Amino acid sequence: MQTSVIIPTFNEAGNIHELVARVNDALRGQDAEIIFVDDSADDTPEVIRNTHSTLPVRVLHRDVALGGLSGAVVEGLAASASEWVVVMDGDLQHPPEMIPVLLASAVTDSADVVIASRHVRGGSSAGLDGWTRTLASSGAKMLTRAMFPRKLQHCTDPMTGFFAVRRAAVNLPALRPQGFKILLEILGRSSSLKVIEEPFVFGERQAGVSKASMNQGLQFLLQLAGLRFGRLSGFALIGAIGAVANLVIMAGLQAMGVWYLTSAIVAAVVTMVGNFMLQEKFIFPDLRNEGYGLWKRFMLSFGFNSVEAILRTTALYLIVETTPLHSLVTQAMLIAVGFLIRFVYHSRVVYRPRGAVSRVIEPVGLLSPVDDLSAL
C-alpha cells in the first residue's frame, strides 16, 4: 500500500538522523515517503535535507505555525496522496518499528484508524517525563472519554499522537486543528470510523525538550469544548440549577431555624434526586438503553453523589468551624469543585455504553534504539 509518514517537528535536530534511519528500516521495500512538517527555529529543516534516506523525504517548513502540532499534521495530510498516513512524533518516543504493525493491522482488520495505544495490555506510558505529566495525561484521558462515550468506546488512548489513518476516511475541511491532539480532532469530527488498537511502549525522549506547557493544556480544554460543547454544557446547566436549588433549600431551612448541617443534608438529597431525573431526560437520553437499567443507574448515581455529599458536608463543617467563611459561600465553592468529577463519573460509569472493548493484543518485539543503530 502507499504510505506517507507524517512527522511534525519543532527543534528536533538531534533526533533526525536516527529517526529517518529507523523509519527507512521499518518500511524497507515498501511504497512509502516521509513528510516532515517543520515549525522549528533551529537548523532542523537543514538537518532533514542533509540526512541520507532510501525513502523519498519532503520538508514542509511553516513560518507561521497555525494550529500548532495538529495544524502541522493537517498540512501533512493535505500534502499526501497516499492510501494510508502514519502520524508520529519526531522525538523517538514513538518507535518507528511499530509502523509495519499498524499498517498490517489496518489490512487485516479493514480498519479506518489503527491507534498505537499505551493503555491496552502490553502498552506503557513509562517514557512520560515525571509524575506531573503522567497525572495530567491520565486526567485528560478520563475527561476526554467521558465527553465522548460513543466515539471513544473502542479507543483507550485518544491522547496518543501515534496512529495510522486511511487517508480517504479523513474529512479535512471539517477539521479545526488546535494544540497537540490531532487524533481526538479526527475521531471527534468523523463518524462511523472503524478503530483498532495495538499496544506500544512510549519511549524516553532521546534529544530536545518536551513541548508540553500550560498553554497547551488550555488549548486542549478549548479543543474539547469545541468538539463536545453540548453534553457538558447541558450537564453544567443542570448542575447549576441543582446548585441554586441546593442553596435555596439550605437557606430556607436555616431561616426556619434548622441547623446548617441538617439543612445541607436535606438539600443534598432533594437535589440529587432532581438532578438524576433531569439528566435522564435531557443529558443522556441516547445512552439510557445501552447500559444499565433505570434502577441500577439511579443507585449508581445516588450512591456516588451520596459519598460526594458526605465528603462535601464534612469539608463544609471543617471550613465553617475553622475559618470566617460563611456556610452558603463555602457550600457554593464546594459544589463547583465537585462538578467535573461528577460529570466524569456519570459519563464513564452510570451511562457508559456497554459495547465491545478494544482487542487485547500481545506486544510485538521491537528493536531497541541501540540495536537498531548497531545494525546500520
Side-chain angles (χ1 to χ4, degrees), residues 120-235:
V120 294
R121 192 174 70 187
S124 170
S125 57
L128 283 175
D129 299 329
W131 68 268
T132 53
R133 280 200 65 195
T134 300
L135 182 62
S137 177
S138 298
K141 182 192 74 170
M142 287 192 297
L143 176 59
T144 303
R145 296 191 71 199
M147 295 180 73
F148 298 91
R150 283 179 176 275
K151 290 189 175 182
L152 300 183
Q153 63 179 309
H154 301 289
C155 177
T156 65
D157 198 356
M159 316 306 291
T160 185
F162 193 13
F163 60 93
V165 61
R166 187 168 55 83
R167 177 64 179 76
V170 180
N171 182 5
L172 282 180
L175 300 181
R176 302 291 182 267
Q178 184 175 9
F180 274 34
K181 306 307 177 185
I182 185 60
L183 176 61
L184 176 61
E185 184 74 16
I186 291 172
L187 297 180
R189 297 193 187 278
S190 303
S191 58
S192 302
L193 293 179
K194 182 176 181 180
V195 177
I196 297 296
E197 293 190 318
E198 295 282 358
F200 93 105
V201 177
F202 190 74
E204 294 184 2
R205 172 177 285 275
Q206 302 298 307
V209 296
S210 172
K211 312 305 187 298
S213 65
M214 290 293 293
N215 181 58
Q216 289 296 334
L218 176 59
Q219 289 187 352
F220 164 67
L221 293 177
L222 291 174
Q223 181 185 20
L224 278 184
L227 288 170
R228 172 60 81 191
F229 193 67
R231 200 186 300 273
L232 180 61
S233 63
F235 192 90

Side-chain angles (χ1 to χ4, degrees), residues 339-359:
F339 160 72
L340 196 58
I341 297 174
R342 292 193 298 274
F343 175 73
V344 170
Y345 174 83
H346 281 78
S347 295
R348 296 297 301 140
V349 177
V350 180
Y351 296 98
R352 180 176 183 174
R354 314 242 331 172
V357 298
S358 302
R359 294 185 304 159

